[in-house]
Amino acid sequence: MILSGAEIVTRRLVGHLRQVTQQQQPCGVDLTLRQVSKWTSAATIDFDNTMRQAAKTSILPFDNTSNTITLQPGAYLVDFNETVQVPRNCMASVFPRSSLWRSGVGIAAGVVDAGYEGAMGALMEVKNPNGLVLYKNAKLAQIVFEEMGEMVEGYNGIYQSSMSSVGQDGKEA
């Protein structure tokens, strides 16, 4: 069963909302832009995380006067203002807002596991050959929660309680 936006807000599954009335949607809650980063190194990914090394990132600045950032075509890491607390009987998915894909921009994120608590981020791909201008706090994505048939042990990985989407070993450079 998919939880309504009202249920998500009532249960406080998403924290640090900028403005509830603007972010609560029928089927989820809108996620807003905190920062944009670019990758500055390669990453290493293996099967059991013994050799795992996150790619390093560098935060791109917003224009101080307009509070905007202009992005050329390419891939970026976006961090959202909001955090989540996913119950052990739920999972969540992140979807792009239609205004993004209509502008030639995609958002991709992994499954948000049951039991995960912490920061939210996503891969943003600007495909529009003319680029994209984003305002700080722009609504970029929507998080949707689904209830599972049973309670599970829950997520206990290295990203638990992260303060940013790069996790604990991909600190911003």
Side-chain angles (χ1 to χ4, degrees), residues 27-69:
C27 299
V29 171
D30 287 334
L31 300 175
T32 62
L33 178 62
R34 180 169 59 92
Q35 69 186 27
V36 179
S37 300
K38 65 178 180 177
W39 288 276
T40 59
S41 75
T44 303
I45 298 174
D46 63 343
F47 178 75
D48 64 3
N49 288 337
T50 57
M51 302 300 294
R52 182 191 177 282
Q53 184 175 2
K56 303 296 184 223
T57 61
S58 177
I59 298 171
L60 300 175
F62 284 93
D63 180 85
N64 289 332
T65 305
S66 65
N67 261 341
T68 63
I69 188 167

mmCIF file of all heavy atoms in Angstrom, residues 27-69:
data_model
loop_
_atom_site.group_PDB
_atom_site.id
_atom_site.type_symbol
_atom_site.label_atom_id
_atom_site.label_comp_id
_atom_site.label_asym_id
_atom_site.label_seq_id
_atom_site.Cartn_x
_atom_site.Cartn_y
_atom_site.Cartn_z
ATOM 1 N N CYS A 27 0.400 11.636 -3.327
ATOM 2 C CA CYS A 27 1.056 10.323 -3.222
ATOM 3 C C CYS A 27 2.448 10.381 -2.611
ATOM 4 O O CYS A 27 3.172 9.385 -2.631
ATOM 5 C CB CYS A 27 1.170 9.691 -4.611
ATOM 6 S SG CYS A 27 -0.425 9.413 -5.381
ATOM 7 N N GLY A 28 2.868 11.505 -2.092
ATOM 8 C CA GLY A 28 4.212 11.606 -1.539
ATOM 9 C C GLY A 28 4.510 12.998 -1.038
ATOM 10 O O GLY A 28 3.612 13.798 -0.802
ATOM 11 N N VAL A 29 5.799 13.268 -0.910
ATOM 12 C CA VAL A 29 6.269 14.561 -0.411
ATOM 13 C C VAL A 29 7.396 15.048 -1.324
ATOM 14 O O VAL A 29 8.298 14.275 -1.678
ATOM 15 C CB VAL A 29 6.777 14.433 1.049
ATOM 16 C CG1 VAL A 29 7.457 15.700 1.511
ATOM 17 C CG2 VAL A 29 5.629 14.075 1.973
ATOM 18 N N ASP A 30 7.339 16.322 -1.713
ATOM 19 C CA ASP A 30 8.378 16.894 -2.561
ATOM 20 C C ASP A 30 9.675 17.090 -1.789
ATOM 21 O O ASP A 30 9.660 17.485 -0.617
ATOM 22 C CB ASP A 30 7.931 18.247 -3.117
ATOM 23 C CG ASP A 30 6.879 18.116 -4.203
ATOM 24 O OD1 ASP A 30 6.832 17.065 -4.863
ATOM 25 O OD2 ASP A 30 6.108 19.082 -4.392
ATOM 26 N N LEU A 31 10.793 16.829 -2.473
ATOM 27 C CA LEU A 31 12.128 17.025 -1.921
ATOM 28 C C LEU A 31 12.754 18.244 -2.587
ATOM 29 O O LEU A 31 12.624 18.432 -3.803
ATOM 30 C CB LEU A 31 12.992 15.784 -2.166
ATOM 31 C CG LEU A 31 12.465 14.486 -1.555
ATOM 32 C CD1 LEU A 31 13.343 13.307 -1.974
ATOM 33 C CD2 LEU A 31 12.373 14.591 -0.039
ATOM 34 N N THR A 32 13.442 19.074 -1.802
ATOM 35 C CA THR A 32 13.960 20.348 -2.287
ATOM 36 C C THR A 32 15.488 20.385 -2.281
ATOM 37 O O THR A 32 16.147 19.711 -1.494
ATOM 38 C CB THR A 32 13.409 21.505 -1.444
ATOM 39 O OG1 THR A 32 13.841 21.348 -0.082
ATOM 40 C CG2 THR A 32 11.886 21.560 -1.494
ATOM 41 N N LEU A 33 16.028 21.217 -3.142
ATOM 42 C CA LEU A 33 17.465 21.299 -3.375
ATOM 43 C C LEU A 33 18.208 22.044 -2.263
ATOM 44 O O LEU A 33 17.935 23.205 -1.995
ATOM 45 C CB LEU A 33 17.727 22.003 -4.710
ATOM 46 C CG LEU A 33 19.181 22.225 -5.102
ATOM 47 C CD1 LEU A 33 19.912 20.896 -5.269
ATOM 48 C CD2 LEU A 33 19.268 23.066 -6.362
ATOM 49 N N ARG A 34 19.147 21.346 -1.638
ATOM 50 C CA ARG A 34 20.053 21.966 -0.668
ATOM 51 C C ARG A 34 21.361 22.350 -1.329
ATOM 52 O O ARG A 34 21.844 23.459 -1.179
ATOM 53 C CB ARG A 34 20.321 21.035 0.510
ATOM 54 C CG ARG A 34 21.272 21.654 1.552
ATOM 55 C CD ARG A 34 21.336 20.856 2.843
ATOM 56 N NE ARG A 34 21.782 19.496 2.676
ATOM 57 C CZ ARG A 34 23.056 19.095 2.771
ATOM 58 N NH1 ARG A 34 24.009 19.958 3.014
ATOM 59 N NH2 ARG A 34 23.362 17.821 2.634
ATOM 60 N N GLN A 35 21.971 21.383 -2.067
ATOM 61 C CA GLN A 35 23.241 21.676 -2.719
ATOM 62 C C GLN A 35 23.447 20.768 -3.923
ATOM 63 O O GLN A 35 22.819 19.727 -4.049
ATOM 64 C CB GLN A 35 24.415 21.537 -1.749
ATOM 65 C CG GLN A 35 24.703 20.123 -1.315
ATOM 66 C CD GLN A 35 25.793 20.047 -0.249
ATOM 67 O OE1 GLN A 35 26.003 20.985 0.519
ATOM 68 N NE2 GLN A 35 26.481 18.929 -0.195
ATOM 69 N N VAL A 36 24.357 21.211 -4.782
ATOM 70 C CA VAL A 36 24.744 20.461 -5.971
ATOM 71 C C VAL A 36 26.243 20.228 -5.891
ATOM 72 O O VAL A 36 27.002 21.144 -5.569
ATOM 73 C CB VAL A 36 24.408 21.237 -7.264
ATOM 74 C CG1 VAL A 36 24.843 20.460 -8.499
ATOM 75 C CG2 VAL A 36 22.938 21.596 -7.335
ATOM 76 N N SER A 37 26.668 19.006 -6.194
ATOM 77 C CA SER A 37 28.090 18.676 -6.181
ATOM 78 C C SER A 37 28.479 18.026 -7.497
ATOM 79 O O SER A 37 27.642 17.499 -8.221
ATOM 80 C CB SER A 37 28.414 17.690 -5.052
ATOM 81 O OG SER A 37 28.085 18.239 -3.791
ATOM 82 N N LYS A 38 29.770 18.059 -7.781
ATOM 83 C CA LYS A 38 30.312 17.310 -8.912
ATOM 84 C C LYS A 38 31.338 16.326 -8.367
ATOM 85 O O LYS A 38 31.896 16.524 -7.285
ATOM 86 C CB LYS A 38 30.942 18.238 -9.952
ATOM 87 C CG LYS A 38 32.166 18.971 -9.439
ATOM 88 C CD LYS A 38 32.774 19.838 -10.512
ATOM 89 C CE LYS A 38 34.006 20.553 -9.931
ATOM 90 N NZ LYS A 38 34.682 21.359 -10.919
ATOM 91 N N TRP A 39 31.575 15.277 -9.117
ATOM 92 C CA TRP A 39 32.541 14.271 -8.684
ATOM 93 C C TRP A 39 33.939 14.716 -9.069
ATOM 94 O O TRP A 39 34.147 15.276 -10.145
ATOM 95 C CB TRP A 39 32.224 12.917 -9.319
ATOM 96 C CG TRP A 39 31.003 12.309 -8.710
ATOM 97 C CD1 TRP A 39 30.937 11.577 -7.570
ATOM 98 C CD2 TRP A 39 29.666 12.394 -9.192
ATOM 99 N NE1 TRP A 39 29.634 11.203 -7.314
ATOM 100 C CE2 TRP A 39 28.837 11.689 -8.291
ATOM 101 C CE3 TRP A 39 29.078 13.006 -10.296
ATOM 102 C CZ2 TRP A 39 27.468 11.566 -8.478
ATOM 103 C CZ3 TRP A 39 27.714 12.890 -10.468
ATOM 104 C CH2 TRP A 39 26.920 12.180 -9.567
ATOM 105 N N THR A 40 34.911 14.444 -8.168
ATOM 106 C CA THR A 40 36.292 14.844 -8.406
ATOM 107 C C THR A 40 37.258 13.664 -8.403
ATOM 108 O O THR A 40 38.466 13.862 -8.535
ATOM 109 C CB THR A 40 36.737 15.871 -7.347
ATOM 110 O OG1 THR A 40 36.612 15.281 -6.046
ATOM 111 C CG2 THR A 40 35.889 17.136 -7.417
ATOM 112 N N SER A 41 36.749 12.448 -8.229
ATOM 113 C CA SER A 41 37.598 11.261 -8.266
ATOM 114 C C SER A 41 36.767 10.063 -8.694
ATOM 115 O O SER A 41 35.534 10.117 -8.699
ATOM 116 C CB SER A 41 38.228 10.986 -6.895
ATOM 117 O OG SER A 41 37.265 10.445 -6.007
ATOM 118 N N ALA A 42 37.463 8.993 -8.995
ATOM 119 C CA ALA A 42 36.786 7.737 -9.311
ATOM 120 C C ALA A 42 36.314 7.073 -8.020
ATOM 121 O O ALA A 42 36.771 7.414 -6.930
ATOM 122 C CB ALA A 42 37.744 6.799 -10.050
ATOM 123 N N ALA A 43 35.416 6.138 -8.147
ATOM 124 C CA ALA A 43 34.928 5.342 -7.015
ATOM 125 C C ALA A 43 35.327 3.888 -7.234
ATOM 126 O O ALA A 43 35.645 3.490 -8.354
ATOM 127 C CB ALA A 43 33.411 5.448 -6.900
ATOM 128 N N THR A 44 35.293 3.103 -6.154
ATOM 129 C CA THR A 44 35.522 1.667 -6.239
ATOM 130 C C THR A 44 34.342 0.970 -5.589
ATOM 131 O O THR A 44 33.982 1.289 -4.450
ATOM 132 C CB THR A 44 36.825 1.264 -5.496
ATOM 133 O OG1 THR A 44 37.908 1.994 -6.060
ATOM 134 C CG2 THR A 44 37.077 -0.222 -5.617
ATOM 135 N N ILE A 45 33.744 0.028 -6.311
ATOM 136 C CA ILE A 45 32.596 -0.711 -5.797
ATOM 137 C C ILE A 45 32.862 -2.194 -6.011
ATOM 138 O O ILE A 45 33.267 -2.607 -7.100
ATOM 139 C CB ILE A 45 31.296 -0.277 -6.496
ATOM 140 C CG1 ILE A 45 31.035 1.202 -6.225
ATOM 141 C CG2 ILE A 45 30.116 -1.132 -6.032
ATOM 142 C CD1 ILE A 45 29.873 1.794 -6.973
ATOM 143 N N ASP A 46 32.645 -2.991 -4.966
ATOM 144 C CA ASP A 46 32.840 -4.435 -5.060
ATOM 145 C C ASP A 46 31.613 -5.140 -4.506
ATOM 146 O O ASP A 46 30.587 -4.514 -4.250
ATOM 147 C CB ASP A 46 34.118 -4.854 -4.318
ATOM 148 C CG ASP A 46 34.063 -4.581 -2.828
ATOM 149 O OD1 ASP A 46 33.196 -3.787 -2.392
ATOM 150 O OD2 ASP A 46 34.865 -5.161 -2.080
ATOM 151 N N PHE A 47 31.699 -6.431 -4.298
ATOM 152 C CA PHE A 47 30.556 -7.211 -3.842
ATOM 153 C C PHE A 47 30.253 -7.024 -2.362
ATOM 154 O O PHE A 47 29.118 -6.799 -1.968
ATOM 155 C CB PHE A 47 30.774 -8.704 -4.139
ATOM 156 C CG PHE A 47 29.645 -9.573 -3.657
ATOM 157 C CD1 PHE A 47 28.450 -9.615 -4.339
ATOM 158 C CD2 PHE A 47 29.782 -10.325 -2.510
ATOM 159 C CE1 PHE A 47 27.398 -10.400 -3.896
ATOM 160 C CE2 PHE A 47 28.737 -11.117 -2.050
ATOM 161 C CZ PHE A 47 27.540 -11.155 -2.752
ATOM 162 N N ASP A 48 31.267 -7.117 -1.497
ATOM 163 C CA ASP A 48 31.014 -7.113 -0.044
ATOM 164 C C ASP A 48 31.483 -5.844 0.668
ATOM 165 O O ASP A 48 31.551 -5.812 1.888
ATOM 166 C CB ASP A 48 31.639 -8.349 0.606
ATOM 167 C CG ASP A 48 33.149 -8.371 0.486
ATOM 168 O OD1 ASP A 48 33.738 -7.407 -0.058
ATOM 169 O OD2 ASP A 48 33.756 -9.363 0.942
ATOM 170 N N ASN A 49 31.797 -4.801 -0.081
ATOM 171 C CA ASN A 49 32.224 -3.498 0.442
ATOM 172 C C ASN A 49 33.595 -3.501 1.115
ATOM 173 O O ASN A 49 33.969 -2.509 1.731
ATOM 174 C CB ASN A 49 31.181 -2.898 1.401
ATOM 175 C CG ASN A 49 29.953 -2.425 0.658
ATOM 176 O OD1 ASN A 49 30.013 -2.137 -0.537
ATOM 177 N ND2 ASN A 49 28.834 -2.358 1.345
ATOM 178 N N THR A 50 34.377 -4.577 1.007
ATOM 179 C CA THR A 50 35.711 -4.571 1.610
ATOM 180 C C THR A 50 36.659 -3.651 0.845
ATOM 181 O O THR A 50 37.599 -3.115 1.430
ATOM 182 C CB THR A 50 36.318 -5.992 1.676
ATOM 183 O OG1 THR A 50 36.357 -6.536 0.357
ATOM 184 C CG2 THR A 50 35.523 -6.893 2.602
ATOM 185 N N MET A 51 36.406 -3.458 -0.435
ATOM 186 C CA MET A 51 37.247 -2.587 -1.261
ATOM 187 C C MET A 51 36.528 -1.288 -1.636
ATOM 188 O O MET A 51 37.055 -0.479 -2.389
ATOM 189 C CB MET A 51 37.667 -3.328 -2.540
ATOM 190 C CG MET A 51 38.422 -4.626 -2.280
ATOM 191 S SD MET A 51 39.952 -4.381 -1.349
ATOM 192 C CE MET A 51 40.904 -3.459 -2.524
ATOM 193 N N ARG A 52 35.354 -1.078 -1.084
ATOM 194 C CA ARG A 52 34.533 0.078 -1.439
ATOM 195 C C ARG A 52 35.224 1.379 -1.086
ATOM 196 O O ARG A 52 35.791 1.539 -0.016
ATOM 197 C CB ARG A 52 33.196 0.010 -0.697
ATOM 198 C CG ARG A 52 32.270 1.146 -1.052
ATOM 199 C CD ARG A 52 31.081 1.188 -0.102
ATOM 200 N NE ARG A 52 30.236 2.300 -0.403
ATOM 201 C CZ ARG A 52 30.496 3.552 -0.050
ATOM 202 N NH1 ARG A 52 31.570 3.849 0.621
ATOM 203 N NH2 ARG A 52 29.675 4.523 -0.379
ATOM 204 N N GLN A 53 35.178 2.314 -2.033
ATOM 205 C CA GLN A 53 35.665 3.660 -1.781
ATOM 206 C C GLN A 53 34.778 4.612 -2.570
ATOM 207 O O GLN A 53 34.706 4.529 -3.801
ATOM 208 C CB GLN A 53 37.121 3.815 -2.207
ATOM 209 C CG GLN A 53 37.668 5.174 -1.870
ATOM 210 C CD GLN A 53 39.156 5.289 -2.194
ATOM 211 O OE1 GLN A 53 39.773 4.367 -2.707
ATOM 212 N NE2 GLN A 53 39.711 6.439 -1.895
ATOM 213 N N ALA A 54 34.087 5.480 -1.862
ATOM 214 C CA ALA A 54 33.188 6.425 -2.528
ATOM 215 C C ALA A 54 34.001 7.452 -3.309
ATOM 216 O O ALA A 54 35.135 7.779 -2.948
ATOM 217 C CB ALA A 54 32.317 7.134 -1.498
ATOM 218 N N ALA A 55 33.416 7.948 -4.385
ATOM 219 C CA ALA A 55 34.043 9.025 -5.150
ATOM 220 C C ALA A 55 34.029 10.297 -4.313
ATOM 221 O O ALA A 55 33.083 10.558 -3.569
ATOM 222 C CB ALA A 55 33.280 9.245 -6.451
ATOM 223 N N LYS A 56 35.072 11.069 -4.425
ATOM 224 C CA LYS A 56 35.131 12.373 -3.751
ATOM 225 C C LYS A 56 34.274 13.348 -4.540
ATOM 226 O O LYS A 56 34.086 13.218 -5.749
ATOM 227 C CB LYS A 56 36.563 12.885 -3.667
ATOM 228 C CG LYS A 56 37.521 11.933 -2.972
ATOM 229 C CD LYS A 56 37.153 11.730 -1.526
ATOM 230 C CE LYS A 56 38.184 10.855 -0.837
ATOM 231 N NZ LYS A 56 37.634 9.856 0.029
ATOM 232 N N THR A 57 33.742 14.355 -3.837
ATOM 233 C CA THR A 57 32.902 15.355 -4.480
ATOM 234 C C THR A 57 33.330 16.757 -4.078
ATOM 235 O O THR A 57 34.034 16.944 -3.087
ATOM 236 C CB THR A 57 31.416 15.171 -4.089
ATOM 237 O OG1 THR A 57 31.297 15.321 -2.686
ATOM 238 C CG2 THR A 57 30.882 13.827 -4.540
ATOM 239 N N SER A 58 32.874 17.701 -4.852
ATOM 240 C CA SER A 58 33.115 19.112 -4.570
ATOM 241 C C SER A 58 31.794 19.856 -4.747
ATOM 242 O O SER A 58 31.126 19.703 -5.777
ATOM 243 C CB SER A 58 34.165 19.659 -5.544
ATOM 244 O OG SER A 58 34.371 21.038 -5.340
ATOM 245 N N ILE A 59 31.430 20.651 -3.764
ATOM 246 C CA ILE A 59 30.174 21.402 -3.812
ATOM 247 C C ILE A 59 30.302 22.566 -4.791
ATOM 248 O O ILE A 59 31.292 23.305 -4.770
ATOM 249 C CB ILE A 59 29.794 21.923 -2.413
ATOM 250 C CG1 ILE A 59 29.585 20.756 -1.455
ATOM 251 C CG2 ILE A 59 28.550 22.806 -2.479
ATOM 252 C CD1 ILE A 59 29.422 21.175 -0.002
ATOM 253 N N LEU A 60 29.292 22.731 -5.644
ATOM 254 C CA LEU A 60 29.244 23.854 -6.575
ATOM 255 C C LEU A 60 28.492 25.007 -5.909
ATOM 256 O O LEU A 60 27.443 24.791 -5.304
ATOM 257 C CB LEU A 60 28.544 23.437 -7.868
ATOM 258 C CG LEU A 60 29.204 22.277 -8.617
ATOM 259 C CD1 LEU A 60 28.344 21.880 -9.826
ATOM 260 C CD2 LEU A 60 30.602 22.645 -9.049
ATOM 261 N N PRO A 61 28.991 26.230 -6.030
ATOM 262 C CA PRO A 61 28.358 27.361 -5.329
ATOM 263 C C PRO A 61 27.131 27.906 -6.059
ATOM 264 O O PRO A 61 27.076 27.916 -7.289
ATOM 265 C CB PRO A 61 29.462 28.409 -5.285
ATOM 266 C CG PRO A 61 30.268 28.130 -6.523
ATOM 267 C CD PRO A 61 30.227 26.629 -6.712
ATOM 268 N N PHE A 62 26.176 28.362 -5.277
ATOM 269 C CA PHE A 62 25.051 29.121 -5.816
ATOM 270 C C PHE A 62 25.511 30.564 -5.998
ATOM 271 O O PHE A 62 26.368 31.050 -5.247
ATOM 272 C CB PHE A 62 23.857 29.122 -4.836
ATOM 273 C CG PHE A 62 23.097 27.831 -4.810
ATOM 274 C CD1 PHE A 62 23.411 26.841 -3.900
ATOM 275 C CD2 PHE A 62 22.047 27.617 -5.690
ATOM 276 C CE1 PHE A 62 22.709 25.652 -3.869
ATOM 277 C CE2 PHE A 62 21.331 26.428 -5.669
ATOM 278 C CZ PHE A 62 21.665 25.455 -4.756
ATOM 279 N N ASP A 63 24.930 31.279 -6.960
ATOM 280 C CA ASP A 63 25.193 32.701 -7.119
ATOM 281 C C ASP A 63 24.641 33.427 -5.892
ATOM 282 O O ASP A 63 23.474 33.250 -5.534
ATOM 283 C CB ASP A 63 24.519 33.227 -8.388
ATOM 284 C CG ASP A 63 24.760 34.699 -8.591
ATOM 285 O OD1 ASP A 63 25.808 35.040 -9.155
ATOM 286 O OD2 ASP A 63 23.895 35.492 -8.157
ATOM 287 N N ASN A 64 25.476 34.219 -5.240
ATOM 288 C CA ASN A 64 25.073 34.895 -3.998
ATOM 289 C C ASN A 64 23.951 35.908 -4.195
ATOM 290 O O ASN A 64 23.157 36.130 -3.292
ATOM 291 C CB ASN A 64 26.275 35.592 -3.354
ATOM 292 C CG ASN A 64 27.258 34.611 -2.772
ATOM 293 O OD1 ASN A 64 26.889 33.501 -2.376
ATOM 294 N ND2 ASN A 64 28.526 34.988 -2.727
ATOM 295 N N THR A 65 23.868 36.504 -5.362
ATOM 296 C CA THR A 65 22.849 37.521 -5.607
ATOM 297 C C THR A 65 21.500 36.907 -5.948
ATOM 298 O O THR A 65 20.473 37.280 -5.377
ATOM 299 C CB THR A 65 23.298 38.448 -6.764
ATOM 300 O OG1 THR A 65 24.576 38.985 -6.448
ATOM 301 C CG2 THR A 65 22.302 39.584 -6.959
ATOM 302 N N SER A 66 21.500 35.942 -6.872
ATOM 303 C CA SER A 66 20.233 35.381 -7.360
ATOM 304 C C SER A 66 19.823 34.082 -6.675
ATOM 305 O O SER A 66 18.710 33.616 -6.865
ATOM 306 C CB SER A 66 20.334 35.134 -8.865
ATOM 307 O OG SER A 66 21.311 34.136 -9.135
ATOM 308 N N ASN A 67 20.734 33.478 -5.883
ATOM 309 C CA ASN A 67 20.485 32.164 -5.260
ATOM 310 C C ASN A 67 20.196 31.095 -6.304
ATOM 311 O O ASN A 67 19.386 30.197 -6.083
ATOM 312 C CB ASN A 67 19.354 32.226 -4.236
ATOM 313 C CG ASN A 67 19.884 32.327 -2.828
ATOM 314 O OD1 ASN A 67 21.042 32.012 -2.567
ATOM 315 N ND2 ASN A 67 19.038 32.764 -1.919
ATOM 316 N N THR A 68 20.861 31.207 -7.462
ATOM 317 C CA THR A 68 20.699 30.226 -8.528
ATOM 318 C C THR A 68 22.035 29.558 -8.830
ATOM 319 O O THR A 68 23.095 30.048 -8.462
ATOM 320 C CB THR A 68 20.180 30.868 -9.838
ATOM 321 O OG1 THR A 68 21.152 31.816 -10.303
ATOM 322 C CG2 THR A 68 18.830 31.540 -9.628
ATOM 323 N N ILE A 69 21.937 28.438 -9.531
ATOM 324 C CA ILE A 69 23.106 27.752 -10.061
ATOM 325 C C ILE A 69 22.757 27.340 -11.484
ATOM 326 O O ILE A 69 21.650 26.873 -11.749
ATOM 327 C CB ILE A 69 23.514 26.549 -9.183
ATOM 328 C CG1 ILE A 69 24.849 25.983 -9.652
ATOM 329 C CG2 ILE A 69 22.433 25.494 -9.130
ATOM 330 C CD1 ILE A 69 25.476 25.014 -8.660
#
